[in-house]
Amino acid sequence: MFVAEKNALSEEIESYVNKYGNDRSALLMILHEIQNKHRHISEFAQQEVARLLNIHPVEVYSVISFFAFLNSNPKGRNLVRICQTISCDMKGKSGLVKAIERELGIKIGETTKDNKFTVEYANCLGLCDMGPAMAINDQVFLQLTPEKAVELLGKVK
Amino acid sequence: METIKKKRTGPVIFSEYKRGDAIKKAILMTREDILFELKDSKLKGRGGAGFPTSTKWMLTAAAKSDDKFLVCNADEGEPGTFKDRVLLMEYPELVFDGMVVGGYTIGSQKGIVYLRGEYEYLLKPLQDYLEVMRKDNLLGKNIFGKKDFNFDIEIFLGSGAYVCGEETALIESLEGHRGEPRNRPPYPINTGYLGRPTSVNNVETLAAVSHIVVKGGSWFAKFGTDKSSGSKLFSVSGDCEKPGVYELPWGTKISELLKIVEAKNTKAVQIGGASGHCVPKSQFDRTMAYEDVATGGSVMVFNESRDMLHVLKNFMEFFVEESCGQCTPCRMGNVKLLEGVEMIEKGEYTFAHINKLKDLGRTMQMASKCGLGQSSPNPFISILENFNDEIFNAGNGGRNGK
Ligand SMILES: Cc1cc2nc3c(=O)[nH]c(=O)nc-3n(C[C@H](O)[C@H](O)[C@H](O)COP(=O)(O)O)c2cc1C
Ligand code: SF4
Ligand code: FES
């Protein structure tokens, strides 16, 4: 990472600490913001958070490793999550998965070469009455067909 | 996400309610009066465990501390449950007013909504709603002119961990730790968030409180059964014509619900989500109530075409992923049970081994640290027992055995 990028990230993290406070209880909200913006929480970001909250970097890493929505390794710019739980499964989740895998040329769990998409499974998204359900970043899409799912991906920048 | 408000009807939760009414009425009452109404209502927590809300609030009110918290548990992670999403999206007034009433009753100045990360799209609309409440003095200082009654609400986002719905894990994660359940006691009512007395209540419980304060405890208790008062929101999904959220009195028969949602050729119903019980057709005249089939409201319908072993596998995969890994019975046990399901799938099992796994399941129910590991063997045991014939004898296209 270049020095300028590092400084920008430090400033960004400082702004979150100003927003949520420097108490440990602010940790998850701060991590959430970083994750949303960068799709991962880099080692440098972890150190900065630890420094500002006055805790050990290992503590930050240990929290990140616990939660499904937080990760320390880079992912694609857009995160696609397909619900794999039974109600969506019965409504045809595997059709969505197959179509998306074909279209993007990757397997579920992988990231496209251009770094545009990471595709993952999610557990029940709380939309079981309108499955199969899929989330692209923080937006959710319902009652999908394989064709509609692929079409949605085409609209993503 | 569309936010079209459906016109919903129901005896209690979906009955008439005007924003702020419960708060206006509550501040004219004493804490004790409110606790009496709640006691009369016999309201039990809707988060699954069914603990009486009046008792929880009485204990939190009695705890000595200047700093107390009221947490609204909106982690709704149980597979097949989505009623809290509907309440937050379409009836935020019921939930937030219930929180303000709770704050007043237990003597707390701060409410926290723990919103599951999967519902992030609700964050902005809910925050906007809270802003309106602040403008109208339904939140903030001296609420509705009640001297020294200050209360505000903050929303905290979860990060995709089912176990964080368990109240002590929820508190751990609020404090910035891994969401691993704590040993209980001490209970949150004494030693909760930041070591302070904390009442954790489900979204639907708080919504019920708003109605109870306005309409009275005995009005509420008229609905449902003696042991299960009031109504329940059921989240129905799977094989039926009309999936969605339904408000029905406790004590409704499974067969009645199936008729309402227009389910045909139903073979089984999973009640209570992945950690609940699978009820076969022969038992559809059982009722949904704490004294019969208890449930947090998830109802998944399976028709004749479904392979119950596949259903079971889906549930066990869920638990293997969601176990926090803190205690051995749950961390190892769920993996073993899933392996057992895969053995049956491939036809590489012995009955002796399957029986051992059922025993392991019963051990997990007793020896696991929190409700996740205590209930994850439920589907394994209930599906293998109730669908014994399908899975072991005739399920393989009529051939005798797999
Ligand atoms: C694994 C697990 C997950 C849970 N998830 C939730 C949940 O999503 N929402 C909820 O209200 N309660 C959940 N609970 C129950 C809570 O621990 C707690 O009992 C409940 O929030 C209390 O609220 P109530 O008294 O209004 O029911 C869960 C419990 C366990 C063991
Ligand atoms: S029962 Fe499972 S989820 Fe609960 S504490 Fe033990 S390992 Fe964690
Ligand atoms: S099962 Fe897919 S949203 Fe619940």
Side-chain angles (χ1 to χ4, degrees):
Chain A
M1 225 187 275
F2 297 115
V3 178
E5 276 176 52
K6 277 196 178 179
N7 283 341
L9 187 55
S10 296
E11 267 172 41
E12 184 193 326
I13 295 174
E14 266 171 44
S15 77
Y16 299 143
V17 174
N18 287 336
K19 182 169 168 193
Y20 296 106
N22 66 353
D23 193 79
R24 171 134 194 190
S25 59
L27 178 61
L28 270 156
M29 290 308 272
I30 294 171
L31 295 180
H32 207 93
E33 296 261 8
I34 303 172
Q35 175 79 38
N36 264 3
K37 183 132 183 237
H38 304 277
R39 301 269 164 244
H40 79 294
I41 304 161
S42 66
E43 204 171 305
F44 177 71
Q46 294 175 34
Q47 282 163 5
E48 282 301 280
V49 173
R51 183 176 65 82
L52 293 164
L53 297 190
N54 205 9
I55 53 181
H56 199 282
V58 164
E59 296 271 329
V60 178
Y61 177 76
S62 133
V63 168
I64 293 171
S65 67
F66 184 85
F67 290 97
F69 285 9
L70 305 176
N71 51 279
S72 45
N73 295 322
K75 283 192 183 175
R77 290 196 304 284
N78 298 288
L79 187 57
V80 179
R81 290 181 299 123
I82 302 158
C83 174
Q84 64 180 344
T85 306
I86 193 72
S87 293
C88 288
D89 179 277
M90 294 195 291
K91 297 285 173 220
K93 135 225 131 181
S94 15
L96 301 190
V97 174
K98 278 186 207 142
I100 290 175
E101 285 183 335
R102 270 197 313 267
E103 217 71 27
L104 297 181
I106 53 170
K107 290 273 163 232
I108 198 142
E110 297 177 349
T111 301
T112 52
K113 274 218 186 74
D114 61 358
N115 211 33
K116 189 171 173 187
F117 291 108
T118 297
V119 185
E120 290 177 351
Y121 277 127
N123 285 328
C124 182
L125 296 170
L127 299 159
C128 336
D129 52 338
M130 297 178 281
M134 173 175 98
I136 304 179
N137 303 326
D138 60 1
Q139 268 188 302
V140 289
F141 302 92
L142 315 166
Q143 291 172 328
L144 292 171
T145 57
E147 200 179 354
K148 234 159 66 185
V150 168
E151 206 181 295
L152 283 168
L153 293 188
K155 287 188 191 146
V156 174
K157 279 202 211 95
Chain B
M1 186 77 203
E2 301 161 63
T3 50
I4 315 158
K5 277 210 175 194
K6 279 194 191 167
K7 180 82 190 115
R8 297 180 188 271
T9 47
V12 179
I13 301 286
F14 294 149
S15 67
E16 266 317 292
Y17 179 82
K18 231 177 85 238
R19 188 170 77 94
D21 274 359
I23 306 176
K24 276 181 213 163
K25 184 149 179 215
I27 56 172
L28 300 175
M29 297 164 75
T30 63
R31 281 177 169 189
E32 289 74 20
D33 286 342
I34 297 174
L35 289 170
F36 271 127
E37 286 301 333
L38 284 177
K39 192 149 186 272
D40 274 351
S41 76
K42 295 195 257 175
L43 172 66
K44 288 180 180 169
R46 302 309 197 217
F51 192 78
T53 307
S54 64
T55 312
K56 190 183 279 186
W57 283 8
M58 195 182 67
L59 293 168
T60 324
K64 285 205 170 52
S65 174
D66 295 336
D67 230 0
K68 297 182 189 177
F69 297 97
L70 184 105
V71 175
C72 168
N73 190 343
D75 198 47
E76 187 158 65
E78 188 64 53
T81 322
F82 42 92
K83 47 128 188 144
D84 294 344
R85 178 200 85 215
V86 165
L87 282 174
L88 291 166
M89 234 162 99
E90 302 176 22
Y91 299 84
E93 67 276 13
L94 282 177
V95 182
F96 291 146
D97 287 4
M99 287 182 77
V100 178
V101 170
Y104 177 74
T105 310
I106 66 171
S108 157
Q109 307 207 346
K110 182 148 179 209
I112 302 170
V113 178
Y114 190 98
L115 184 68
R116 71 186 300 221
E118 288 82 348
Y119 291 170
E120 187 167 0
Y121 51 85
L122 294 178
L123 181 63
K124 179 77 174 51
L126 290 176
Q127 276 171 339
D128 291 347
Y129 196 89
L130 291 174
E131 207 44 56
V132 175
M133 284 179 76
R134 283 182 199 111
K135 284 212 180 80
D136 297 344
N137 197 218
L138 289 163
L139 284 178
K141 293 222 153 49
N142 304 319
I143 292 174
F144 272 146
K146 178 81 176 178
K147 213 171 154 292
D148 294 332
F149 174 44
N150 311 325
F151 188 79
D152 211 321
I153 297 174
E154 193 189 305
I155 304 175
F156 184 97
L157 260 185
S159 279
Y162 165 66
V163 71
C164 284
E166 197 280 339
E167 56 185 15
T168 61
L170 184 155
I171 289 169
E172 283 288 315
S173 86
L174 278 180
E175 292 178 352
H177 297 276
R178 294 162 68 88
E180 289 170 351
R182 297 175 178 170
N183 279 320
R184 302 185 311 166
Y187 293 94
I189 47 166
N190 297 313
T191 314
Y193 180 50
L194 304 176
R196 304 277 157 48
T198 303
S199 172
V200 181
N201 300 94
N202 174 254
V203 172
E204 186 184 349
T205 310
L206 293 162
V209 165
S210 291
H211 283 294
I212 291 168
V213 169
V214 174
K215 295 166 190 161
S218 49
W219 167 81
F220 183 85
K222 276 195 314 216
F223 302 96
T225 71
D226 189 35
K227 287 204 176 85
S228 316
S229 67
S231 68
K232 180 80 193 83
L233 298 186
F234 295 99
S235 314
V236 186
S237 65
D239 294 318
C240 63
E241 291 298 314
K242 296 181 168 169
V245 171
Y246 292 84
E247 183 185 0
L248 297 167
W250 279 115
T252 300
K253 278 190 186 162
I254 294 170
S255 56
E256 288 171 65
L257 177 62
L258 289 174
K259 212 183 260 164
I260 295 171
V261 302
E262 296 179 16
K264 285 181 203 88
N265 303 322
T266 309
K267 168 161 80 176
V269 185
Q270 178 78 14
I271 304 231
S275 60
H277 288 273
C278 196
V279 180
K281 196 174 179 176
S282 58
Q283 298 176 20
F284 284 176
D285 58 347
R286 289 180 68 182
T287 61
M288 293 174 290
Y290 292 106
E291 62 271 31
D292 195 354
V293 187
T295 170
S298 166
V299 177
M300 304 195 237
V301 185
F302 305 113
N303 72 20
E304 296 289 355
S305 76
R306 302 297 175 185
D307 173 355
M308 295 313 287
L309 192 66
H310 175 75
V311 172
L312 174 57
K313 187 175 171 193
N314 191 282
F315 290 154
M316 293 324 297
E317 286 169 342
F318 173 79
F319 289 121
V320 167
E321 269 183 33
E322 296 295 342
S323 163
C324 84
Q326 202 190 167
C327 67
T328 319
C330 170
R331 183 184 60 239
M332 304 292 287
N334 284 310
V335 173
K336 288 282 160 213
L337 298 189
L338 175 60
E339 279 171 12
V341 175
E342 286 165 347
M343 285 173 176
I344 302 174
E345 209 178 24
K346 292 192 208 118
E348 292 166 1
Y349 66 97
T350 61
F351 284 109
H353 186 63
I354 298 303
N355 285 335
K356 264 203 201 123
L357 290 179
K358 284 188 200 162
D359 277 343
L360 171 66
R362 283 182 273 270
T363 309
M364 290 164 67
Q365 288 172 333
M366 284 182 295
S368 294
K369 181 164 170 178
C370 86
L372 192 151
Q374 287 160 10
S375 59
S376 63
N378 292 348
F380 186 87
I381 294 171
S382 69
I383 290 180
L384 289 191
E385 282 178 359
N386 290 329
F387 300 91
N388 184 65
D389 246 14
E390 169 184 325
I391 292 171
F392 294 110
N393 297 328
N396 206 5
R399 265 178 293 145
N400 194 18
K402 271 198 172 173

